[in-house]
Structure formats: structure tokens, C-alpha cells
Amino acid sequence: MSEASQTPSMLPPPAPPILHRRLWVVVGKGGVGKTTVSVLLAMWAAEHGKRVLVAEVDGAGRAASLLGVQPERLGVAKRVRPNLAVMSVEGAAALAEYLALILPVRRVLDVVFSSRIYQYFVAAAPGLKELMTIGKIWYEAERTDPETGDRVWDLVVMDAPATGHSLQYLGMPKAAREVFQTGLVGRESQRLVDLLSNPARTAVHIVTTAEEMPVNESVEMYHKISTDLALPLGYLVVNRLHQRRFDTGELQRLKANARRLPQADRVVAEAIVDRAFEEEGWSSINREYLQRLLERVQMPHVELPFVFAEEFGATHLERLRQVLSRQLAAREQNTTHHGFRLG
């Protein structure tokens, strides 16, 4: 049955608007859970039938580990599910891959790679690794199957390095274009700028926790991304949020009552009450900094709860995926209110 002959109720629901963009860049302070959020976003997109690649920049294969597979070598995609794959990307490896495309003779390549001048150039050239890394991301976002002509990936999720380094990566194409206004480097840089700055193709998501330093860095990054670099924004993801509330008066009474228990029971009871006090403290801190964050960052936001676990595993990932999926579905139902920059 052709699509034209189907009734509206038989047609698949339209994809959420954010899924029309082909490159998502996930940025944030180190240690706030960027890789986990990148994987969760990729899983959500894959649920909607998108062929998704998670490109982990300068990573140690953590995205692959989260999804329960061993990482492939640098620059090679590891398929995790039928429409979800992961890849580790690094500048020097991306440059070597690029040279292999333009110098297909292996013997010549070996001479180039073994040259001390080449090795020194790769290590010392300012911005080269960042530019080649973004070039590799662009290549994957635009890559087509040579037999079918279809795109290999509907969406590439770039798990970027920590805050300052991310800005270097995102700003390098524009800097290179201004320096090399003509020639090969100038043209290639312009193509990268065109992809990164296009609100129909790219979204930059900011990940943070509701604590002082991550919030300060997120506010600073938000202004640099939206103003200095003029890149299109996506979602603000507030991760590891403590939200439990306890009556502190009741906790004080429980602590006093615990002192009257036998020794073994008292130790356990006091430990439980202490953790409740600690959780109440974290909830209060998170609440204060979340409010401060939302006052300064004008982006649609979603919240992920803190996961109480000795070792984060697949069940926790699935639980967070469900939480994220519900919030994104609700947000995407009314795109006129989510604040995306549409150019």
C-alpha cells in the first residue's frame, strides 16, 4: 500500500522536530555525565527509527562500554544495535584517515606517517587536531552509501570534550576559515562552518549538574555558544538531580529515637537517618542552583535523576532512557514553546 493511499490514522506519527537535525553536539563540564547523556539521546533517536552514530571525541570507549560492547579502533564504527553504533574519534587518526583517501598508495602513506616532520607537524600545529576531528564528524554526518546513495547515518551525536576544549573544537572551523579564506583549507573550513551554524541541521545540547561550578561553566558556555560562536542550541540537560524532600524535624526525632535502640540496630538506624539528612542537603543545593541556572540559560531543559547505585549498569541506563524519553516527547509536542533558535 502506498503512503498516498493510507488514511491519516495508518501513517506513522511524524518524527519530533529535533530529530530532523543531523548533528547533535553534546557539551558540558568534565564529570557531569556528558557521555551517558550522549548515549541516552542516541538511544531516544534510535527508538524513533533513526540510524544513529555516537562519535566520542578523545574518549576512552566509555560510550561503547555503557552499551555493553568493546570499542573498535579509532575512527571505525562499532554497531551496537541495528540502528545504533559508536565510534571513538581523535584528530591525528582523522588526519591519517583523510590522507589515506587522497594518497591511496600504502607505500607512500607509510613513508609519510613514519616521517619525523609529519609527526612533529601533527603534534605541534595549532588547532590541527581539532579541525581534523570536526572534519571527521562532518564526514560521518554527510557520508553516503556508495551503492545506494543513501546517507549512512540519519544522526551523528558528537560527545565533545570538556567545556574549554569543546569551545576550541567548535570555534576552530570559523578561525581556520578566517585565516585561510581561499584554497582547500578555506573551502573545507567553510563547509564545516556551514554545518555547525545551520539550525536546520545542527543542535548543541548542554549537559550540567545543579551545582556551583558546573552551573557557572554552563552559563558561560551558553553565552559563548549562542553569541560568540552563533551556533544553534538544543536542550539543556540537568543530570544527577537530587529531588527527595524530607522533613528535617521528623529526621531529628528519628535520630533521637535511634539512640534508644540496641547497639546493632542503632548503628543501622543512625546511618539511614544520616543518609536522609545528606539527601535533603543535596536536594536543597540542587534546587537552588537549578533555579539560578534556569534564570540565566534560555533553553528548553530536561532533568535526569541521581541514580543511587554502587556500579552504574544497563538497568540504570534503561531507567534514565525512559525518563528522558518521556520528557523529550512532551517537549517536542509543542515546539513553539521550546525556544529553539530557528535562524
Side-chain angles (χ1 to χ4, degrees):
M1 182 182 296
S2 69
E3 185 172 294
S5 65
Q6 292 178 304
T7 64
S9 61
M10 298 171 66
L11 294 172
I18 189 71
L19 288 175
H20 293 299
R21 309 193 197 192
R22 296 212 310 275
L23 173 62
W24 292 355
V25 183
V26 182
V27 300
K29 186 181 185 301
V32 298
K34 266 187 306 83
T35 301
T36 301
V37 171
S38 297
V39 168
L40 290 169
L41 289 169
M43 292 169 72
W44 178 71
E47 283 175 38
H48 289 79
K50 298 295 181 182
R51 295 160 297 177
V52 187
L53 172 68
V54 179
E56 187 181 7
V57 176
D58 288 344
R62 178 165 157 68
S65 298
L66 279 170
L67 291 164
V69 299
Q70 290 294 318
E72 265 286 1
R73 67 181 189 278
L74 288 171
V76 176
K78 175 84 169 189
R79 199 166 292 277
V80 181
R81 300 172 186 176
N83 56 347
L84 179 59
V86 294
M87 174 190 292
S88 292
V89 179
E90 193 269 335
L95 176 59
E97 183 180 352
Y98 174 73
L99 291 176
L101 290 174
I102 61 176
L103 295 172
V105 181
R106 184 70 215 179
R107 185 160 45 85
V108 177
L109 274 179
D110 290 342
V111 172
V112 172
F113 293 157
S114 61
S115 162
R116 292 183 62 182
I117 295 176
Y118 170 80
Q119 294 170 7
Y120 177 79
F121 175 72
V122 172
L128 178 63
K129 291 181 181 177
E130 289 84 353
L131 192 60
M132 294 309 301
T133 298
I134 295 295
K136 171 65 173 175
I137 298 295
W138 176 89
Y139 172 74
E140 294 296 337
E142 299 290 331
R143 188 176 172 190
T144 56
D145 186 308
E147 295 183 0
T148 65
D150 296 333
R151 292 191 188 282
V152 176
W153 314 110
D154 297 313
L155 171 67
V156 174
V157 179
M158 174 183 171
D159 176 20
T163 306
H165 210 182
S166 286
L167 294 173
Q168 290 178 10
Y169 277 88
L170 296 175
M172 186 50 62
K174 185 177 179 183
R177 184 197 59 184
E178 292 172 355
V179 173
F180 304 96
Q181 297 184 6
T182 59
L184 177 62
V185 177
R187 291 193 300 274
E188 293 296 320
S189 300
Q190 182 63 56
R191 289 204 294 183
L192 302 184
V193 171
D194 289 344
L195 173 63
L196 289 174
S197 61
N198 189 336
R201 300 165 72 191
T202 297
V204 180
H205 305 293
I206 299 178
V207 182
T208 187
T209 54
E211 300 169 69
E212 183 177 7
M213 288 299 292
V215 164
N216 290 342
E217 285 199 18
S218 297
V219 172
E220 182 179 358
M221 173 168 271
Y222 163 72
H223 288 294
K224 288 186 175 176
I225 290 172
S226 60
T227 304
D228 298 353
L229 298 176
L231 301 181
L233 295 168
Y235 279 100
L236 172 67
V237 182
V238 186
N239 194 23
R240 298 180 193 149
L241 203 57
H242 295 259
Q243 296 173 307
R244 287 178 175 82
R245 299 302 314 274
F246 296 101
D247 184 321
T248 53
E250 184 66 22
L251 291 178
Q252 293 287 3
R253 284 191 290 277
L254 288 172
K255 193 173 181 91
N257 291 337
R259 297 193 185 100
R260 294 194 287 271
L261 295 172
Q263 171 69 18
D265 294 337
R266 188 183 70 198
V267 170
V268 175
E270 287 182 339
I272 292 172
V273 174
D274 286 345
R275 296 293 76 76
F277 271 116
E278 187 176 334
E279 180 61 16
E280 171 60 25
W282 273 113
S283 297
S284 178
I285 291 170
N286 283 175
R287 190 165 56 253
E288 174 187 345
Y289 282 103
L290 177 61
Q291 180 178 352
R292 186 179 301 183
L293 178 70
L294 298 182
E295 288 172 351
R296 290 163 173 76
V297 175
Q298 304 304 310
M299 294 173 66
H301 87 282
V302 292
E303 301 174 3
L304 295 176
F306 183 88
V307 174
F308 291 87
E310 286 188 351
E311 188 172 349
F312 190 86
T315 56
H316 308 110
L317 194 68
E318 172 58 20
R319 178 187 159 200
L320 291 178
R321 183 200 64 76
Q322 294 175 9
V323 172
L324 183 71
S325 180
R326 285 195 296 271
Q327 293 185 56
L328 288 177
R331 284 282 188 183
E332 289 291 307
Q333 281 184 347
N334 187 355
T335 58
T336 60
H337 297 296
H338 62 25
F340 290 137
R341 291 185 52 200
L342 295 176

